[in-house]
């Protein structure tokens, strides 16, 4: 019989749970509200909230007098100023880890540090973070060759919260010879580290590993990248994408899910795999019934 196990602490992190809770409360209180961009990077959850009256808009010019929910990744300061000037109610669902990174960036800029941002320049979190920086900054994604040749008196590193700690270590090592004083703000969140480490641990044991989550989710894509270094890996959003051929000659099947993946999608995927491998007596009704799952706690 095949063994199926999920990586510990898969699925919604604290920041996402908080954002969804605030959005659902807004739907009850106001009947309708906007988010600037998707509240989280999971299309299925965004569609679910849309059915409750929480509508995603891409341009701040689309605002009317309805409340605005600040998504978990945050928004640039100039957008907050525009919303405040319109006297529109604001529900701030920015992840506390992200808010902490914004504050570190603001403080480092005010203290005259040259700031190096480790992250994707097109990610909404990084777009928002840049607006908090007073002074110069450099964005380093995965190409350390783009580091400037200049030597700096003092520099600071700020991380996208969904970055990988190995990437941070590489950037620190590359910058050290170029800087008299280097300050590192390790703003990679606990949930990211926990999920990445648990995924690697499970991937090493698995004959195949299924990564569940939005194709637009940075933290989920990182899980797929890390897993693929150890085993055959498939990144899917829903159970409909599963192919039965993936589980041929695979005694140990692993699952993991990004921090923005709802429980119901994880359960659907698990039950679909159970059905494919012919073990119908072990269907899960809740995510806690999936072997390996464990809830996590947070500190701020």
């Amino acid at each position: 019989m095949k063994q199926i196990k999920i990586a510990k602490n898969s699925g919604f992190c604290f920041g996402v749970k908080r954002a969804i809770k605030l959005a659902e409360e807004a739907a009850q209180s106001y009947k309708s509200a906007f988010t600037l961009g998707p509240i989280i990077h999971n299309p299925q959850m965004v569609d679910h909230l849309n059915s409750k009256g929480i509508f995603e808009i891409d341009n701040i010019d689309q605002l009317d007098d309805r409340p605005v929910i600040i998504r978990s990744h945050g928004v640039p300061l100039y957008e907050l100023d525009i919303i405040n000037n319109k006297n529109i109610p604001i529900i701030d669902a920015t992840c506390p880890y992200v808010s902490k990174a914004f504050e570190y960036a603001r403080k480092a800029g005010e203290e005259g540090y040259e700031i190096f941002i480790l992250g994707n320049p097109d990610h909404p979190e990084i777009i928002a973070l840049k607006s908090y920086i007073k002074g110069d900054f450099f964005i380093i994604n995965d190409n350390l060759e783009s580091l400037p040749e200049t030597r700096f008196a003092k520099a600071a590193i700020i991380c996208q919260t969904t970055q990988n700690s190995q990437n941070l270590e590489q950037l620190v090592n590359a910058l050290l010879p170029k800087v008299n004083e280097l300050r590192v703000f390790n703003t990679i969140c606990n949930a990211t580290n926990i999920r990445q480490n648990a995924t690697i641990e499970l991937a090493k044991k698995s004959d195949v590993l299924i990564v569940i989550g939005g194709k637009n989710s940075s933290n989920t894509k990182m899980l797929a990248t890390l897993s693929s270094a150890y085993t055959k890996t498939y990144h899917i959003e829903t159970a409909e994408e599963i192919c039965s051929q993936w589980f041929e000659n695979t005694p140990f099947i692993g699952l993991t899910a990004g921090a923005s993946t709802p429980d119901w999608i994880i359960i659907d995927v698990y039950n679909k795999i159970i059905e494919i491998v012919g073990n119908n007596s072990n269907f899960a009704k809740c995510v806690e019934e999936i072997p390996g799952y464990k809830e996590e706690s947070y500190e701020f």
Side-chain angles (χ1 to χ4, degrees), residues 5 38 84 96 116 139 174 183 188 220 237 241 270 275 293:
K5 189 173 182 180
N84 281 318
F116 289 80
I139 301 178
R183 190 169 186 185
I188 301 173
T220 307
E237 284 192 356
E241 299 174 57
Y270 175 76
E275 181 182 358
Y293 180 83

Side-chain angles (χ1 to χ4, degrees), residues 51-271:
S51 70
K52 293 189 171 189
I54 305 299
F55 301 107
E56 174 193 347
I57 58 174
D58 297 319
N59 193 314
I60 202 163
D61 293 334
Q62 297 172 267
L63 291 174
D64 52 31
D65 59 351
R66 278 176 279 188
V68 177
I69 304 168
I70 305 302
R71 59 186 173 183
S72 58
H73 303 104
V75 298
L77 283 172
Y78 71 86
E79 291 188 347
L80 285 176
D81 289 340
I82 292 173
I83 298 169
N84 281 318
N85 288 337
K86 290 178 178 285
N87 293 317
I88 297 171
I90 295 177
I91 299 104
D92 189 359
T94 307
C95 171
Y97 278 107
V98 173
S99 295
K100 188 178 289 187
F102 292 170
E103 178 58 24
Y104 286 147
R106 182 196 62 77
K107 184 177 179 181
E110 290 177 350
E111 293 178 356
Y113 286 86
E114 297 284 347
I115 298 177
F116 289 80
I117 303 170
L118 178 61
N120 178 354
D122 298 321
H123 192 279
E125 179 185 325
I126 299 304
I127 293 172
L129 185 145
K130 292 188 301 183
S131 70
Y132 285 79
I133 298 173
K134 180 180 180 181
D136 296 331
F137 59 85
F138 303 89
I139 301 178
I140 307 298
N141 196 356
D142 54 5
N143 182 14
L144 293 180
E145 294 179 0
S146 63
L147 284 174
E149 294 296 328
T150 313
R151 185 170 184 85
F152 300 97
K154 58 181 188 177
I157 296 175
I158 311 283
C159 304
Q160 184 175 325
T161 55
T162 54
Q163 261 293 331
N164 176 258
S165 57
Q166 187 176 29
N167 292 344
L168 173 58
E169 183 178 346
Q170 291 173 349
L171 178 57
V172 169
N173 290 336
L175 269 180
L176 276 173
K178 302 174 180 288
V179 180
N180 294 338
E181 177 191 341
L182 180 60
R183 190 169 186 185
V184 180
F185 296 96
N186 183 359
T187 48
I188 301 173
C189 77
N190 257 355
T192 296
N193 279 323
I194 288 169
R195 279 158 182 74
Q196 290 177 359
N197 292 336
T199 295
I200 291 171
E201 180 183 343
L202 185 60
K204 291 177 179 179
K205 304 173 184 176
S206 302
D207 300 295
V208 62
L209 192 136
I210 309 301
V211 179
I212 313 164
K215 299 291 177 63
N216 61 340
S217 165
S218 291
N219 78 85
T220 307
K221 289 190 288 186
M222 182 65 77
L223 294 181
T225 298
L226 294 171
S227 172
S228 63
Y230 299 97
T231 191
K232 186 69 176 177
T233 300
Y234 298 96
H235 179 183
I236 63 172
E237 284 192 356
T238 65
E240 284 70 28
E241 299 174 57
I242 294 174
C243 295
S244 58
Q245 293 89 340
W246 295 349
F247 310 111
E248 295 174 357
N249 303 313
T250 55
F252 195 111
I253 301 167
L255 303 177
T256 191
S260 52
T261 307
D263 285 357
W264 87 77
I265 294 180
I266 299 172
I267 295 166
D268 284 348
V269 169
Y270 175 76
N271 287 342

